[in-house]
Amino acid sequence: MKIRLIAIAVFLSVATIAFVVRLVQIQIINDKIYYEDKTQKRSLEEAKYGRILDRNGMVLWDKLHVNGEPEPQKWKEIHYHGHLEGLSAILNGVVSSKIRELRGQRAVLVKTVKSQRGAPIDEIVRIPSIEGKDVYLSIDLRIQEIVENVIREYVPRFNASGASVLVMDPRNGQILAMTSFNPDRNRYESIVHSFEPGSIFKPITAIIALENGVDPNKQINGENGQWKVTKNANEKIIKDIRSGKSFNMQEAMTVSSNIAFGKYVIEEIGYDKFFYGVKNFAINENPGFPLRVSHKGFNYVQYSRTQATQGFGQSLDLTSLDMAKAVSSIANGGVLYNPKLVLEYGADSSATERDSVRRVISTTESTRILRNMLKSVVDSGGTAANIKSRYDFFEFAGKTGTAQTIDSVGRYKVGTYNSSFIGFERATDPHFVCLVTMHNTKSGGSTAAGPVFQKIMEQIYLHPELSPAAFAREYASADSLCSDVSFIGHTRIAALDRAKGMRCNIRFDDESITGSVVAQTIKRDETGEYLQLSLREHQRNTGRMPDVRGLALRDAMGMLEHISNVVYDGVGKVYEQFPEPGESADRKSIVHIKLREI
């Protein structure tokens, strides 16, 4: 019995020692290998991205899997309006910015492998992904399309290297259209580049003068067109193209006198008050703006002549954001708004979302005086008289700028300019502030940039879906045009019945086509204006390709909203499509459409 107990004890001791040895091997020796294997098999899976949409819900950008493959290299970015170079560059900047909601949260997968001697392990620990959310921009695709079409027309006309344009709603600071061109690299980029503004800066000097009690009626000595600030014999002379004996503030603005605005800084305001007056407009300050903003800064200078030149927009460095928000405060009655590109609260907030900084102009009377000054620039005798609209509704108000470009060693080039115009479409109740800069031109701001501003504003107002109600009431009578009436979705009979009841002049683009209205366009012939309606058979989600020939891109994309991959070339209206109408086309199909001016 005793021997048996000893044997059992020995056996249990050996078993315990073996168990401890095995446990040490697993826990200490093999654990490192196990941990390393576990770490090596860690992988990430991208979450589904959100989309980028304009203020009206039009999809601008998406990122999709190709053939359903989950690997990151299988992701494909889609620019639904790739022919708009400026927009594509801006979208790239938004995508690369730190908008966490757009990217979502990646899934983490940890897969263990077989240990060296143990049983196989095949478990997956997964941290689930969070899908990205849609991001709405303040951009209006229709205005962006107008801007870039006008740029394509005018850049070669003036032999410019490119053009930068910004259209802002002065009532909330929202950016409605935007391009940022880098003349050094000769391409559109997502970076907002700074530039020397030249004379378009004079309205800011004028408002600072008014805020500091300068009498706008006071006569400023024009020095007969030549002025030495310090009377130093070696000092470079400040010249005016239009010389004069004296100017009040409106006259100085109208003829764009450099001498007068230099004297406002040196003799009337004082440089310290001028400097802090400029800083009050939050120059070079754009908190929360998603794109990179490149600028050298607005710096305090000591030399009197340089102080004077800052008064008319030289020797300082601003961006289009700086200029647009400052002039918007003049347009809206004195409130400074931060430029807004991303709508934090989605499409429902597009008309109201704003981010005010402070009131920068103390009285609406000062803004009224400035708006009238800027209107005089466009009226007869002003430097921008050539852009006065043929439509009586427009009271264009703004300022031209012709800034010499700077070479690689910091000297001004002779005969090459960044030509600009900034302004709004009405001196009273402005809806839009627009800044146009034509880069590296041989012509001044009134010649090269002013007509671009004019055409952009007129096309926005003549667009049936963009015109403010006041313009539509005055220039589009309901009994002949009914531009504010939508026939979209109506059958032919329903459209005719409604038009008859409202006395609207409508016609169909093709009498042989049936279906319902998918587009409407203002047309004109020898009898006057009428509303042209386009009918198509709606084949959404039927697995068949609709007929989009003859439609504008926006309307064609609306007909193809059930198809995820649409490729298009050209501008204008669709003249060719693949697949053909009625052929098989499901969500995964690739659709090609070609557009041209018809």
Side-chain angles (χ1 to χ4, degrees):
M1 183 67 180
K2 186 176 180 181
I3 296 174
R4 182 179 298 177
L5 290 174
I6 293 172
I8 292 173
V10 171
F11 173 77
L12 291 175
S13 298
V14 171
T16 300
I17 293 171
F19 175 76
V20 171
V21 170
R22 179 59 179 159
L23 186 62
V24 169
Q25 182 185 26
I26 292 173
Q27 294 293 324
I28 298 177
I29 300 174
N30 287 350
D31 180 65
K32 184 178 180 180
I33 299 173
Y34 173 83
Y35 182 78
E36 288 177 350
D37 289 343
K38 178 180 178 182
T39 303
Q40 291 172 355
K41 294 300 180 181
R42 178 188 175 100
S43 62
L44 301 174
E45 182 180 277
E46 293 287 351
K48 182 182 183 299
Y49 280 72
R51 301 171 299 171
I52 300 178
L53 303 93
D54 85 336
R55 64 193 294 109
N56 302 305
M58 293 294 293
V59 180
L60 306 177
W61 177 94
D62 204 350
K63 193 169 185 178
L64 303 173
H65 281 146
V66 177
N67 299 323
E69 295 290 340
E71 289 82 1
Q73 63 268 27
K74 296 296 183 179
W75 287 89
K76 178 182 180 182
E77 291 188 38
I78 299 176
H79 289 254
Y80 286 100
H81 306 276
H83 66 291
L84 302 178
E85 292 181 74
L87 176 62
S88 291
I90 298 303
L91 291 173
N92 288 335
V94 173
V95 172
S96 61
S97 64
K98 297 178 180 179
I99 302 179
R100 185 176 300 176
E101 291 79 8
L102 179 66
R103 294 173 175 271
Q105 177 178 294
R106 295 182 295 184
V108 180
L109 292 85
V110 182
K111 184 176 181 180
T112 60
V113 297
K114 295 179 181 180
S115 59
Q116 287 185 337
R117 295 184 180 180
I121 302 173
D122 191 24
E123 63 181 9
I124 296 178
V125 179
R126 179 187 177 97
I127 298 176
S129 66
I130 298 176
E131 291 188 353
K133 297 180 180 179
D134 290 345
V135 171
Y136 286 84
L137 302 185
S138 60
I139 295 290
D140 190 310
L141 179 61
R142 299 164 299 185
I143 297 178
Q144 184 76 27
E145 186 108 35
I146 288 171
V147 164
E148 298 208 32
N149 284 342
V150 174
I151 285 174
R152 277 194 291 269
E153 176 185 350
Y154 278 85
V155 163
R157 182 179 298 185
F158 292 104
N159 198 29
S161 63
S164 300
V165 179
L166 189 148
V167 181
M168 178 181 284
D169 186 337
R171 299 164 296 182
N172 51 34
Q174 293 181 19
I175 296 172
L176 304 175
M178 184 178 185
T179 68
S180 183
F181 185 79
N182 184 348
D184 294 330
R185 296 190 177 184
N186 199 35
R187 69 186 186 189
Y188 290 92
E189 294 184 342
S190 60
I191 302 172
V192 181
H193 296 279
S194 62
F195 62 105
E196 191 172 88
S199 292
I200 61 172
F201 186 80
K202 289 173 181 173
I204 300 177
T205 301
I207 203 68
I208 294 171
L210 293 177
E211 288 294 291
N212 281 278
V214 176
D215 182 359
N217 296 313
K218 181 178 180 179
Q219 293 291 312
I220 304 296
N221 186 351
E223 305 287 351
N224 290 318
Q226 297 193 18
W227 177 44
K228 284 189 175 183
V229 180
T230 65
K231 311 304 180 184
N232 187 316
N234 296 323
E235 181 184 283
K236 188 176 180 180
I237 297 173
I238 292 176
K239 298 180 180 179
D240 274 342
I241 295 177
R242 300 188 187 187
S243 61
K245 292 185 178 180
S246 65
F247 307 97
N248 63 28
M249 192 178 290
Q250 178 162 325
E251 292 167 343
M253 188 75 73
T254 301
V255 301
S256 195
S257 169
N258 290 340
I259 292 173
F261 281 93
K263 286 195 169 190
Y264 279 125
V265 174
I266 300 299
E267 300 177 0
E268 302 296 325
I269 305 170
Y271 184 69
D272 282 354
K273 290 182 179 179
F274 168 77
F275 177 79
Y276 289 108
V278 175
K279 298 292 283 186
N280 189 45
F281 283 92
I283 299 300
N284 300 150
E285 299 175 18
N286 299 287
F289 196 73
L291 306 181
R292 179 185 163 198
V293 181
S294 174
H295 57 77
K296 300 173 184 175
F298 171 62
N299 300 313
Y300 193 99
V301 296
Q302 299 290 341
Y303 184 36
S304 295
R305 186 186 184 281
T306 307
Q307 294 175 352
T309 62
Q310 286 188 342
F312 52 86
Q314 289 185 7
S315 305
L316 47 77
D317 184 75
L318 276 72
T319 68
S320 57
L321 300 176
D322 296 324
M323 287 304 310
K325 69 184 180 184
V327 173
S328 288
S329 69
I330 298 172
N332 68 32
V335 179
L336 189 72
Y337 292 106
N338 278 325
K340 183 170 285 293
L341 182 61
V342 175
L343 298 174
E344 297 176 22
Y345 304 102
D348 293 340
S349 68
S350 62
T352 57
E353 189 176 327
R354 67 194 72 190
D355 181 13
S356 63
V357 179
R358 57 182 165 268
R359 173 168 284 278
V360 291
I361 306 173
S362 59
T363 67
T364 55
E365 177 63 15
S366 293
T367 61
R368 185 193 65 80
I369 292 172
L370 247 297
R371 287 198 294 263
N372 285 338
M373 287 184 193
L374 297 178
K375 185 174 180 294
S376 72
V377 174
V378 181
D379 288 342
S380 179
T383 57
N386 61 303
I387 72 165
K388 189 175 179 64
S389 177
R390 66 185 183 277
Y391 297 100
D392 294 337
F393 178 86
F394 291 110
E395 300 174 327
F396 288 155
K399 188 69 191 74
T400 56
T402 306
Q404 288 179 283
T405 58
I406 299 174
D407 62 21
S408 58
V409 296
R411 295 177 301 188
Y412 286 109
K413 297 179 184 178
V414 177
T416 303
Y417 311 101
N418 285 330
S419 301
S420 301
F421 185 90
I422 189 167
F424 30 91
E425 83 286 4
R426 285 177 62 80
T428 56
D429 190 29
H431 291 75
F432 307 97
V433 164
C434 179
L435 169 60
V436 176
T437 301
M438 303 288 280
H439 297 282
N440 296 321
T441 69
K442 302 297 182 183
S443 304
S446 62
T447 303
V452 178
F453 168 90
Q454 178 192 46
K455 190 157 188 176
I456 288 172
M457 286 296 102
E458 289 183 351
Q459 289 200 5
I460 289 174
Y461 270 71
L462 294 175
H463 192 291
E465 297 174 358
L466 293 171
S467 301
F471 181 83
R473 284 195 298 270
E474 187 166 347
Y475 284 92
S477 56
D479 59 347
S480 63
L481 182 58
C482 293
S483 62
D484 57 341
V485 177
S486 175
F487 290 89
I488 303 299
H490 288 55
T491 64
R492 179 190 294 272
I493 294 175
L496 289 170
D497 286 345
R498 187 178 186 190
K500 182 178 180 181
M502 300 185 71
R503 295 179 299 146
C504 296
N505 184 7
I506 67 169
R507 303 178 195 176
F508 297 98
D509 61 350
D510 190 334
E511 295 293 340
S512 65
I513 295 179
T514 59
S516 55
V517 178
V518 297
Q520 58 186 57
T521 310
I522 296 175
K523 293 287 187 178
R524 174 183 288 274
D525 62 10
E526 64 278 0
T527 65
E529 290 183 333
Y530 62 93
L531 202 60
Q532 179 177 281
L533 306 183
S534 300
L535 293 167
R536 294 291 187 277
E537 291 289 349
H538 282 255
Q539 293 177 319
R540 295 187 178 95
N541 303 319
T542 63
R544 297 294 174 183
M545 178 68 184
D547 184 2
V548 297
R549 293 169 298 186
L551 298 183
L553 179 62
R554 182 187 69 249
D555 301 316
M557 296 298 287
M559 292 286 288
L560 298 168
E561 64 182 5
H562 66 293
I563 297 174
S564 61
N565 195 357
V566 179
V567 179
Y568 58 89
D569 298 301
V571 295
K573 293 189 176 181
V574 179
Y575 72 94
E576 185 177 336
Q577 66 175 70
F578 176 82
E580 293 290 327
E583 292 186 4
S584 176
D586 58 21
R587 180 173 180 79
K588 295 183 179 180
S589 298
I590 298 177
V591 170
H592 294 263
I593 57 177
K594 295 183 178 181
L595 303 98
R596 65 185 177 193
E597 299 290 348
I598 299 177

